[in-house]
Amino acid sequence: MISAIHDSPIGALTLASSGTALMQVDFENGKYPLPRYTLGDDEILDRARRELDLYFAGTLRAFTISVDPQGTEFQRKVWAALQTIPYGDTRSYAQQARAIGSPNATRAVGAANGRNPIPIIIPCHRVIGANGSLTGFGGGVAIKQFLLDLELGGVLI
């Protein structure tokens, strides 16, 4: 695994690559810091930087980079469901629990969202409380709001 630091409108992001897929996106002061790897460069990291730049510019609505999030079977199921939420849309934790066939697992879905190792690209920021509130986010609620506003066209960088 190698990593790179990428400057973004929401602060420095640490990207990690296995050489074949993106494994991590970590916020500078994230709630759950991820492991650190030797700095380097490869095509995966280059592509992640390009796609993130296009996303923050408002011109990329769907990431195409290969991702390989590491987690339990349940977490991977939750993270796969996140990738089906369209750009600019939101879902509640209960809706996500139903989407994975576990309607009583709302809290477990929330916990899995919180452990998403590839935020932004696997869009856990698109999941909000049933009442529309912005619940926790690994990068902080202000960053979650920024990302949602960006997707709705309300942020000028």
Side-chain angles (χ1 to χ4, degrees):
M1 297 269 284
I2 59 171
S3 67
I5 308 298
H6 185 66
D7 290 326
S8 80
I10 57 173
L13 300 172
T14 302
L15 313 174
S17 163
S18 67
T20 58
L22 189 66
M23 305 291 286
Q24 294 178 186
V25 173
D26 196 16
F27 297 105
E28 189 171 20
N29 296 308
K31 186 175 180 180
Y32 302 110
L34 297 169
R36 298 289 182 215
Y37 299 99
T38 303
L39 292 175
D41 200 17
D42 68 7
E43 178 54 36
I44 297 295
L45 294 171
D46 289 344
R47 185 170 184 170
R49 288 189 285 256
R50 282 192 306 273
E51 289 194 9
L52 284 165
D53 287 345
L54 291 170
Y55 171 79
F56 285 118
T59 59
L60 181 82
R61 295 181 183 273
F63 291 95
T64 60
I65 189 165
S66 294
V67 294
D68 187 15
Q70 299 298 297
T72 67
E73 183 178 334
F74 180 82
Q75 288 172 326
R76 288 191 309 272
K77 191 180 215 182
V78 169
W79 300 333
L82 290 171
Q83 293 176 78
T84 68
I85 304 172
Y87 180 96
D89 284 354
T90 58
R91 299 286 186 273
S92 71
Y93 292 96
Q95 288 173 312
Q96 285 301 99
R98 286 191 300 276
I100 64 165
S102 300
N104 296 321
T106 302
R107 287 180 188 254
V109 164
N113 275 14
R115 294 298 187 166
N116 173 12
I118 311 174
I120 305 169
I121 293 171
I122 297 178
C124 54
H125 61 277
R126 295 180 187 155
V127 181
I128 60 174
N131 64 359
S133 65
L134 297 186
T135 56
F137 183 64
V141 174
I143 290 177
K144 184 172 188 167
Q145 183 68 64
F146 178 93
L147 296 171
L148 292 171
D149 288 347
L150 174 71
E151 292 185 12
L152 293 174
V155 172
L156 298 175
I157 302 171

